[in-house]
Amino acid sequence: MELSLRARLRSGDPEAFGSIFDEHARTVHRYAVRVTGNWATAEDVVSLTFLEAWRLRGTVRPDGDGLLPWLLGIATNVLRNTTRAARRYQAALSRVPADDTAPDFADEVVERMEDAGRLAAAQRALGRLRRGEREVFALCVWAGLDYAAAAEALDVPIGTVRSRLSRARRRLRQLTDEELAVESREPASRSGQQQDGRPLAARSIQEQTR
């Protein structure tokens, strides 16, 4: 009987790991971009996440659905410990052959320019949430995980995910109102202003908290 992708990963199959990277690297990158607000840092987070995923491959459950919640759980931990993980990553890179290449996300340059303003505003608002609320919001709203998958990623009960997400949405609405009040006192001609008087960034946050 053919081994499942999970079984192949647990056994240390490089081809299985490559397939997982090909399928999920961009999703992990988008998640990291939204959490960090920095594309270069997000690319480091992707590399760190998959380095950790390979190191922790033996912790993958033998059965289950897709591996994205597991990967995003690792990415969340990497984001919590970026400095410590970066030192381990640099040490690991020194042992990697020189011809190994990093993932290429160059085709996202145009999207970076368009989303920069909205991302900066969302970062300011999210930065004022508690860590647990911020992580649940990022996983459920920005990464698109359902409650069960987010609970798996964070290793918390589904009920905790529900309550944290509810609080995060409610708090972000308040923060958006505060941001709008501040920005309404700035010149209407500033960059990013929409015809209806609301900046793109603030509108984006409001839409995500509905």
Side-chain angles (χ1 to χ4, degrees):
M1 182 175 64
E2 183 179 356
L3 291 175
S4 68
L5 187 61
R6 284 174 176 264
R8 291 170 59 200
L9 175 61
R10 284 170 58 88
S11 69
D13 184 342
E15 291 186 4
F17 187 74
S19 297
I20 294 167
F21 179 89
D22 291 341
E23 183 177 358
H24 297 303
R26 291 189 181 278
T27 300
V28 174
H29 182 257
R30 285 194 296 270
Y31 170 63
V33 165
R34 286 170 162 172
V35 172
T36 65
N38 183 290
W39 276 268
T41 300
E43 291 175 8
D44 289 340
V45 170
V46 172
S47 297
L48 286 164
T49 295
F50 281 93
L51 178 67
E52 287 292 278
W54 178 254
R55 188 176 69 86
L56 299 172
R57 61 190 182 278
T59 67
V60 173
R61 297 173 183 171
D63 52 12
D65 295 326
L67 288 165
L68 182 59
W70 177 69
L71 286 171
L72 290 179
I74 293 174
T76 299
N77 285 327
V78 167
L79 288 162
R80 292 174 185 166
N81 304 286
T82 301
T83 301
R84 183 178 65 185
R87 289 196 296 267
R88 183 163 57 208
Y89 175 55
Q90 292 300 324
L93 281 184
S94 68
R95 300 191 295 268
V96 174
D99 59 353
D100 279 25
T101 57
D104 181 12
F105 298 102
D107 60 335
E108 296 183 3
V109 170
V110 174
E111 293 179 36
R112 296 182 185 189
M113 296 174 63
E114 294 174 349
D115 293 342
R118 286 176 293 214
L119 184 58
Q123 279 293 306
R124 289 194 297 271
L126 281 175
R128 297 168 64 182
L129 297 179
R130 294 186 179 128
R131 189 183 73 180
E133 296 168 357
R134 183 168 61 248
E135 290 174 351
V136 165
F137 183 87
L139 287 169
C140 291
V141 177
W142 280 350
L145 297 187
D146 59 23
Y147 293 142
E152 178 184 345
L154 296 173
D155 195 23
V156 298
I158 291 180
T160 300
V161 171
R162 291 179 183 274
S163 60
R164 286 181 183 176
L165 182 59
S166 177
R167 289 196 301 270
R169 288 183 185 277
R170 184 168 60 251
R171 180 62 176 146
L172 281 173
R173 291 191 191 100
Q174 297 171 355
L175 295 175
T176 300
D177 290 341
E178 293 174 13
E179 181 180 344
L180 285 171
V182 171
E183 291 184 343
S184 66
R185 294 194 290 270
E186 297 179 0
S189 60
R190 71 172 182 81
S191 175
Q193 191 77 19
Q194 292 292 297
Q195 292 182 352
D196 66 358
R198 291 188 298 162
L200 278 171
R203 293 184 66 195
S204 176
I205 299 172
Q206 281 194 325
E207 290 166 359
Q208 292 166 358
T209 57
R210 288 173 184 165

PDB file of all heavy atoms in Angstrom, residues 96-126:
ATOM      1  N   VAL A  96      24.575  24.132   4.856  1.00  0.00           N
ATOM      2  CA  VAL A  96      23.887  23.815   3.604  1.00  0.00           C
ATOM      3  C   VAL A  96      24.820  24.074   2.433  1.00  0.00           C
ATOM      4  O   VAL A  96      25.519  25.093   2.420  1.00  0.00           O
ATOM      5  CB  VAL A  96      22.609  24.675   3.461  1.00  0.00           C
ATOM      6  CG1 VAL A  96      21.955  24.456   2.099  1.00  0.00           C
ATOM      7  CG2 VAL A  96      21.625  24.336   4.575  1.00  0.00           C
ATOM      8  N   PRO A  97      24.855  23.187   1.425  1.00  0.00           N
ATOM      9  CA  PRO A  97      25.696  23.424   0.244  1.00  0.00           C
ATOM     10  C   PRO A  97      25.392  24.760  -0.403  1.00  0.00           C
ATOM     11  O   PRO A  97      24.244  25.220  -0.422  1.00  0.00           O
ATOM     12  CB  PRO A  97      25.322  22.259  -0.691  1.00  0.00           C
ATOM     13  CG  PRO A  97      24.848  21.194   0.240  1.00  0.00           C
ATOM     14  CD  PRO A  97      24.164  21.898   1.367  1.00  0.00           C
ATOM     15  N   ALA A  98      26.405  25.391  -0.972  1.00  0.00           N
ATOM     16  CA  ALA A  98      26.269  26.746  -1.494  1.00  0.00           C
ATOM     17  C   ALA A  98      25.306  26.857  -2.654  1.00  0.00           C
ATOM     18  O   ALA A  98      24.782  27.928  -2.923  1.00  0.00           O
ATOM     19  CB  ALA A  98      27.649  27.263  -1.924  1.00  0.00           C
ATOM     20  N   ASP A  99      25.042  25.755  -3.375  1.00  0.00           N
ATOM     21  CA  ASP A  99      24.180  25.864  -4.549  1.00  0.00           C
ATOM     22  C   ASP A  99      22.698  25.753  -4.206  1.00  0.00           C
ATOM     23  O   ASP A  99      21.858  25.822  -5.094  1.00  0.00           O
ATOM     24  CB  ASP A  99      24.543  24.802  -5.600  1.00  0.00           C
ATOM     25  CG  ASP A  99      24.424  23.387  -5.046  1.00  0.00           C
ATOM     26  OD1 ASP A  99      24.198  23.237  -3.833  1.00  0.00           O
ATOM     27  OD2 ASP A  99      24.556  22.447  -5.843  1.00  0.00           O
ATOM     28  N   ASP A 100      22.348  25.568  -2.919  1.00  0.00           N
ATOM     29  CA  ASP A 100      20.940  25.575  -2.536  1.00  0.00           C
ATOM     30  C   ASP A 100      20.395  26.980  -2.676  1.00  0.00           C
ATOM     31  O   ASP A 100      21.067  27.956  -2.370  1.00  0.00           O
ATOM     32  CB  ASP A 100      20.775  25.125  -1.072  1.00  0.00           C
ATOM     33  CG  ASP A 100      20.817  23.615  -0.968  1.00  0.00           C
ATOM     34  OD1 ASP A 100      21.422  22.995  -1.866  1.00  0.00           O
ATOM     35  OD2 ASP A 100      20.256  23.079  -0.005  1.00  0.00           O
ATOM     36  N   THR A 101      19.171  27.117  -3.157  1.00  0.00           N
ATOM     37  CA  THR A 101      18.585  28.432  -3.405  1.00  0.00           C
ATOM     38  C   THR A 101      17.383  28.655  -2.523  1.00  0.00           C
ATOM     39  O   THR A 101      16.694  27.716  -2.142  1.00  0.00           O
ATOM     40  CB  THR A 101      18.161  28.571  -4.885  1.00  0.00           C
ATOM     41  OG1 THR A 101      17.246  27.525  -5.195  1.00  0.00           O
ATOM     42  CG2 THR A 101      19.369  28.485  -5.790  1.00  0.00           C
ATOM     43  N   ALA A 102      17.118  29.912  -2.226  1.00  0.00           N
ATOM     44  CA  ALA A 102      15.971  30.287  -1.409  1.00  0.00           C
ATOM     45  C   ALA A 102      14.745  30.421  -2.304  1.00  0.00           C
ATOM     46  O   ALA A 102      14.855  30.609  -3.520  1.00  0.00           O
ATOM     47  CB  ALA A 102      16.245  31.615  -0.710  1.00  0.00           C
ATOM     48  N   PRO A 103      13.521  30.329  -1.746  1.00  0.00           N
ATOM     49  CA  PRO A 103      12.317  30.487  -2.539  1.00  0.00           C
ATOM     50  C   PRO A 103      12.227  31.876  -3.155  1.00  0.00           C
ATOM     51  O   PRO A 103      12.662  32.861  -2.558  1.00  0.00           O
ATOM     52  CB  PRO A 103      11.187  30.272  -1.521  1.00  0.00           C
ATOM     53  CG  PRO A 103      11.814  30.529  -0.196  1.00  0.00           C
ATOM     54  CD  PRO A 103      13.231  30.079  -0.333  1.00  0.00           C
ATOM     55  N   ASP A 104      11.679  31.951  -4.357  1.00  0.00           N
ATOM     56  CA  ASP A 104      11.603  33.207  -5.089  1.00  0.00           C
ATOM     57  C   ASP A 104      10.169  33.717  -5.069  1.00  0.00           C
ATOM     58  O   ASP A 104       9.266  33.066  -5.589  1.00  0.00           O
ATOM     59  CB  ASP A 104      12.063  32.989  -6.541  1.00  0.00           C
ATOM     60  CG  ASP A 104      12.030  34.278  -7.340  1.00  0.00           C
ATOM     61  OD1 ASP A 104      11.889  35.353  -6.744  1.00  0.00           O
ATOM     62  OD2 ASP A 104      12.130  34.190  -8.578  1.00  0.00           O
ATOM     63  N   PHE A 105       9.957  34.901  -4.489  1.00  0.00           N
ATOM     64  CA  PHE A 105       8.635  35.505  -4.445  1.00  0.00           C
ATOM     65  C   PHE A 105       8.608  36.809  -5.240  1.00  0.00           C
ATOM     66  O   PHE A 105       7.844  37.722  -4.952  1.00  0.00           O
ATOM     67  CB  PHE A 105       8.227  35.775  -2.989  1.00  0.00           C
ATOM     68  CG  PHE A 105       8.124  34.525  -2.162  1.00  0.00           C
ATOM     69  CD1 PHE A 105       9.127  34.175  -1.286  1.00  0.00           C
ATOM     70  CD2 PHE A 105       7.022  33.696  -2.276  1.00  0.00           C
ATOM     71  CE1 PHE A 105       9.035  33.014  -0.526  1.00  0.00           C
ATOM     72  CE2 PHE A 105       6.923  32.536  -1.517  1.00  0.00           C
ATOM     73  CZ  PHE A 105       7.925  32.198  -0.649  1.00  0.00           C
ATOM     74  N   ALA A 106       9.462  36.897  -6.269  1.00  0.00           N
ATOM     75  CA  ALA A 106       9.601  38.144  -7.002  1.00  0.00           C
ATOM     76  C   ALA A 106       8.318  38.573  -7.704  1.00  0.00           C
ATOM     77  O   ALA A 106       8.090  39.764  -7.924  1.00  0.00           O
ATOM     78  CB  ALA A 106      10.722  38.019  -8.039  1.00  0.00           C
ATOM     79  N   ASP A 107       7.449  37.622  -8.051  1.00  0.00           N
ATOM     80  CA  ASP A 107       6.238  37.986  -8.784  1.00  0.00           C
ATOM     81  C   ASP A 107       5.227  38.700  -7.904  1.00  0.00           C
ATOM     82  O   ASP A 107       4.184  39.139  -8.386  1.00  0.00           O
ATOM     83  CB  ASP A 107       5.604  36.737  -9.405  1.00  0.00           C
ATOM     84  CG  ASP A 107       5.220  35.705  -8.358  1.00  0.00           C
ATOM     85  OD1 ASP A 107       5.835  35.704  -7.268  1.00  0.00           O
ATOM     86  OD2 ASP A 107       4.320  34.898  -8.642  1.00  0.00           O
ATOM     87  N   GLU A 108       5.511  38.865  -6.611  1.00  0.00           N
ATOM     88  CA  GLU A 108       4.593  39.568  -5.724  1.00  0.00           C
ATOM     89  C   GLU A 108       4.947  41.042  -5.562  1.00  0.00           C
ATOM     90  O   GLU A 108       4.327  41.763  -4.782  1.00  0.00           O
ATOM     91  CB  GLU A 108       4.573  38.895  -4.342  1.00  0.00           C
ATOM     92  CG  GLU A 108       4.040  37.482  -4.376  1.00  0.00           C
ATOM     93  CD  GLU A 108       3.971  36.872  -2.983  1.00  0.00           C
ATOM     94  OE1 GLU A 108       4.290  37.572  -2.014  1.00  0.00           O
ATOM     95  OE2 GLU A 108       3.587  35.705  -2.891  1.00  0.00           O
ATOM     96  N   VAL A 109       5.931  41.532  -6.315  1.00  0.00           N
ATOM     97  CA  VAL A 109       6.383  42.906  -6.152  1.00  0.00           C
ATOM     98  C   VAL A 109       5.252  43.901  -6.393  1.00  0.00           C
ATOM     99  O   VAL A 109       5.075  44.865  -5.641  1.00  0.00           O
ATOM    100  CB  VAL A 109       7.565  43.201  -7.093  1.00  0.00           C
ATOM    101  CG1 VAL A 109       7.887  44.685  -7.100  1.00  0.00           C
ATOM    102  CG2 VAL A 109       8.792  42.419  -6.658  1.00  0.00           C
ATOM    103  N   VAL A 110       4.473  43.674  -7.449  1.00  0.00           N
ATOM    104  CA  VAL A 110       3.381  44.600  -7.755  1.00  0.00           C
ATOM    105  C   VAL A 110       2.362  44.620  -6.628  1.00  0.00           C
ATOM    106  O   VAL A 110       1.888  45.684  -6.210  1.00  0.00           O
ATOM    107  CB  VAL A 110       2.702  44.208  -9.082  1.00  0.00           C
ATOM    108  CG1 VAL A 110       1.479  45.093  -9.322  1.00  0.00           C
ATOM    109  CG2 VAL A 110       3.683  44.363 -10.241  1.00  0.00           C
ATOM    110  N   GLU A 111       2.028  43.455  -6.092  1.00  0.00           N
ATOM    111  CA  GLU A 111       1.080  43.382  -4.988  1.00  0.00           C
ATOM    112  C   GLU A 111       1.621  44.102  -3.761  1.00  0.00           C
ATOM    113  O   GLU A 111       0.872  44.715  -3.016  1.00  0.00           O
ATOM    114  CB  GLU A 111       0.780  41.928  -4.638  1.00  0.00           C
ATOM    115  CG  GLU A 111       0.036  41.188  -5.715  1.00  0.00           C
ATOM    116  CD  GLU A 111      -0.213  39.745  -5.303  1.00  0.00           C
ATOM    117  OE1 GLU A 111      -0.448  39.502  -4.111  1.00  0.00           O
ATOM    118  OE2 GLU A 111      -0.139  38.876  -6.180  1.00  0.00           O
ATOM    119  N   ARG A 112       2.918  44.074  -3.583  1.00  0.00           N
ATOM    120  CA  ARG A 112       3.515  44.749  -2.433  1.00  0.00           C
ATOM    121  C   ARG A 112       3.219  46.244  -2.489  1.00  0.00           C
ATOM    122  O   ARG A 112       2.872  46.860  -1.480  1.00  0.00           O
ATOM    123  CB  ARG A 112       5.035  44.545  -2.415  1.00  0.00           C
ATOM    124  CG  ARG A 112       5.480  43.128  -2.239  1.00  0.00           C
ATOM    125  CD  ARG A 112       6.983  43.043  -2.176  1.00  0.00           C
ATOM    126  NE  ARG A 112       7.441  41.666  -2.123  1.00  0.00           N
ATOM    127  CZ  ARG A 112       8.691  41.313  -1.901  1.00  0.00           C
ATOM    128  NH1 ARG A 112       9.615  42.219  -1.719  1.00  0.00           N
ATOM    129  NH2 ARG A 112       9.037  40.036  -1.861  1.00  0.00           N
ATOM    130  N   MET A 113       3.373  46.836  -3.662  1.00  0.00           N
ATOM    131  CA  MET A 113       3.162  48.267  -3.809  1.00  0.00           C
ATOM    132  C   MET A 113       1.710  48.636  -3.531  1.00  0.00           C
ATOM    133  O   MET A 113       1.419  49.646  -2.898  1.00  0.00           O
ATOM    134  CB  MET A 113       3.568  48.709  -5.221  1.00  0.00           C
ATOM    135  CG  MET A 113       5.052  48.508  -5.517  1.00  0.00           C
ATOM    136  SD  MET A 113       5.459  48.860  -7.232  1.00  0.00           S
ATOM    137  CE  MET A 113       5.034  50.598  -7.324  1.00  0.00           C
ATOM    138  N   GLU A 114       0.773  47.809  -4.006  1.00  0.00           N
ATOM    139  CA  GLU A 114      -0.629  48.123  -3.867  1.00  0.00           C
ATOM    140  C   GLU A 114      -1.121  47.940  -2.436  1.00  0.00           C
ATOM    141  O   GLU A 114      -2.013  48.644  -1.965  1.00  0.00           O
ATOM    142  CB  GLU A 114      -1.454  47.227  -4.802  1.00  0.00           C
ATOM    143  CG  GLU A 114      -1.192  47.504  -6.278  1.00  0.00           C
ATOM    144  CD  GLU A 114      -1.914  46.522  -7.171  1.00  0.00           C
ATOM    145  OE1 GLU A 114      -2.439  45.517  -6.632  1.00  0.00           O
ATOM    146  OE2 GLU A 114      -1.963  46.747  -8.380  1.00  0.00           O
ATOM    147  N   ASP A 115      -0.538  46.974  -1.721  1.00  0.00           N
ATOM    148  CA  ASP A 115      -1.053  46.622  -0.405  1.00  0.00           C
ATOM    149  C   ASP A 115      -0.319  47.302   0.751  1.00  0.00           C
ATOM    150  O   ASP A 115      -0.713  47.139   1.906  1.00  0.00           O
ATOM    151  CB  ASP A 115      -0.964  45.105  -0.201  1.00  0.00           C
ATOM    152  CG  ASP A 115      -1.902  44.351  -1.127  1.00  0.00           C
ATOM    153  OD1 ASP A 115      -2.820  44.980  -1.654  1.00  0.00           O
ATOM    154  OD2 ASP A 115      -1.698  43.138  -1.307  1.00  0.00           O
ATOM    155  N   ALA A 116       0.736  48.031   0.478  1.00  0.00           N
ATOM    156  CA  ALA A 116       1.583  48.552   1.551  1.00  0.00           C
ATOM    157  C   ALA A 116       0.816  49.419   2.538  1.00  0.00           C
ATOM    158  O   ALA A 116       0.960  49.284   3.753  1.00  0.00           O
ATOM    159  CB  ALA A 116       2.749  49.344   0.956  1.00  0.00           C
ATOM    160  N   GLY A 117      -0.009  50.320   2.020  1.00  0.00           N
ATOM    161  CA  GLY A 117      -0.752  51.212   2.904  1.00  0.00           C
ATOM    162  C   GLY A 117      -1.735  50.481   3.778  1.00  0.00           C
ATOM    163  O   GLY A 117      -1.820  50.714   4.988  1.00  0.00           O
ATOM    164  N   ARG A 118      -2.491  49.569   3.188  1.00  0.00           N
ATOM    165  CA  ARG A 118      -3.473  48.815   3.960  1.00  0.00           C
ATOM    166  C   ARG A 118      -2.802  47.941   5.000  1.00  0.00           C
ATOM    167  O   ARG A 118      -3.281  47.804   6.118  1.00  0.00           O
ATOM    168  CB  ARG A 118      -4.321  47.943   3.014  1.00  0.00           C
ATOM    169  CG  ARG A 118      -5.328  48.757   2.217  1.00  0.00           C
ATOM    170  CD  ARG A 118      -6.066  47.891   1.231  1.00  0.00           C
ATOM    171  NE  ARG A 118      -5.169  47.389   0.187  1.00  0.00           N
ATOM    172  CZ  ARG A 118      -5.547  47.188  -1.065  1.00  0.00           C
ATOM    173  NH1 ARG A 118      -6.790  47.420  -1.426  1.00  0.00           N
ATOM    174  NH2 ARG A 118      -4.720  46.746  -1.955  1.00  0.00           N
ATOM    175  N   LEU A 119      -1.679  47.355   4.619  1.00  0.00           N
ATOM    176  CA  LEU A 119      -0.974  46.473   5.539  1.00  0.00           C
ATOM    177  C   LEU A 119      -0.443  47.246   6.739  1.00  0.00           C
ATOM    178  O   LEU A 119      -0.528  46.790   7.875  1.00  0.00           O
ATOM    179  CB  LEU A 119       0.178  45.783   4.805  1.00  0.00           C
ATOM    180  CG  LEU A 119       0.979  44.748   5.591  1.00  0.00           C
ATOM    181  CD1 LEU A 119       0.068  43.639   6.106  1.00  0.00           C
ATOM    182  CD2 LEU A 119       2.083  44.180   4.726  1.00  0.00           C
ATOM    183  N   ALA A 120       0.093  48.440   6.489  1.00  0.00           N
ATOM    184  CA  ALA A 120       0.632  49.239   7.591  1.00  0.00           C
ATOM    185  C   ALA A 120      -0.459  49.586   8.590  1.00  0.00           C
ATOM    186  O   ALA A 120      -0.247  49.527   9.813  1.00  0.00           O
ATOM    187  CB  ALA A 120       1.280  50.507   7.039  1.00  0.00           C
ATOM    188  N   ALA A 121      -1.632  49.949   8.102  1.00  0.00           N
ATOM    189  CA  ALA A 121      -2.732  50.300   8.997  1.00  0.00           C
ATOM    190  C   ALA A 121      -3.195  49.086   9.802  1.00  0.00           C
ATOM    191  O   ALA A 121      -3.467  49.187  11.006  1.00  0.00           O
ATOM    192  CB  ALA A 121      -3.892  50.876   8.195  1.00  0.00           C
ATOM    193  N   ALA A 122      -3.303  47.954   9.131  1.00  0.00           N
ATOM    194  CA  ALA A 122      -3.725  46.739   9.821  1.00  0.00           C
ATOM    195  C   ALA A 122      -2.705  46.355  10.887  1.00  0.00           C
ATOM    196  O   ALA A 122      -3.064  45.885  11.971  1.00  0.00           O
ATOM    197  CB  ALA A 122      -3.892  45.593   8.819  1.00  0.00           C
ATOM    198  N   GLN A 123      -1.413  46.559  10.592  1.00  0.00           N
ATOM    199  CA  GLN A 123      -0.371  46.256  11.561  1.00  0.00           C
ATOM    200  C   GLN A 123      -0.523  47.109  12.815  1.00  0.00           C
ATOM    201  O   GLN A 123      -0.383  46.620  13.933  1.00  0.00           O
ATOM    202  CB  GLN A 123       1.008  46.513  10.938  1.00  0.00           C
ATOM    203  CG  GLN A 123       1.518  45.395  10.068  1.00  0.00           C
ATOM    204  CD  GLN A 123       1.798  44.165  10.880  1.00  0.00           C
ATOM    205  OE1 GLN A 123       2.527  44.205  11.842  1.00  0.00           O
ATOM    206  NE2 GLN A 123       1.194  43.064  10.500  1.00  0.00           N
ATOM    207  N   ARG A 124      -0.814  48.379  12.643  1.00  0.00           N
ATOM    208  CA  ARG A 124      -0.957  49.262  13.796  1.00  0.00           C
ATOM    209  C   ARG A 124      -2.116  48.813  14.681  1.00  0.00           C
ATOM    210  O   ARG A 124      -2.020  48.814  15.905  1.00  0.00           O
ATOM    211  CB  ARG A 124      -1.152  50.703  13.338  1.00  0.00           C
ATOM    212  CG  ARG A 124       0.099  51.341  12.732  1.00  0.00           C
ATOM    213  CD  ARG A 124      -0.056  52.842  12.608  1.00  0.00           C
ATOM    214  NE  ARG A 124      -1.122  53.207  11.701  1.00  0.00           N
ATOM    215  CZ  ARG A 124      -0.964  53.380  10.391  1.00  0.00           C
ATOM    216  NH1 ARG A 124       0.237  53.188   9.849  1.00  0.00           N
ATOM    217  NH2 ARG A 124      -1.975  53.727   9.621  1.00  0.00           N
ATOM    218  N   ALA A 125      -3.213  48.451  14.043  1.00  0.00           N
ATOM    219  CA  ALA A 125      -4.383  48.026  14.810  1.00  0.00           C
ATOM    220  C   ALA A 125      -4.133  46.687  15.506  1.00  0.00           C
ATOM    221  O   ALA A 125      -4.409  46.524  16.695  1.00  0.00           O
ATOM    222  CB  ALA A 125      -5.599  47.922  13.890  1.00  0.00           C
ATOM    223  N   LEU A 126      -3.587  45.731  14.777  1.00  0.00           N
ATOM    224  CA  LEU A 126      -3.343  44.408  15.349  1.00  0.00           C
ATOM    225  C   LEU A 126      -2.325  44.452  16.481  1.00  0.00           C
ATOM    226  O   LEU A 126      -2.407  43.682  17.433  1.00  0.00           O
ATOM    227  CB  LEU A 126      -2.854  43.448  14.266  1.00  0.00           C
ATOM    228  CG  LEU A 126      -3.918  42.856  13.348  1.00  0.00           C
ATOM    229  CD1 LEU A 126      -3.258  42.022  12.266  1.00  0.00           C
ATOM    230  CD2 LEU A 126      -4.907  42.019  14.126  1.00  0.00           C
TER     231      LEU A 126
END
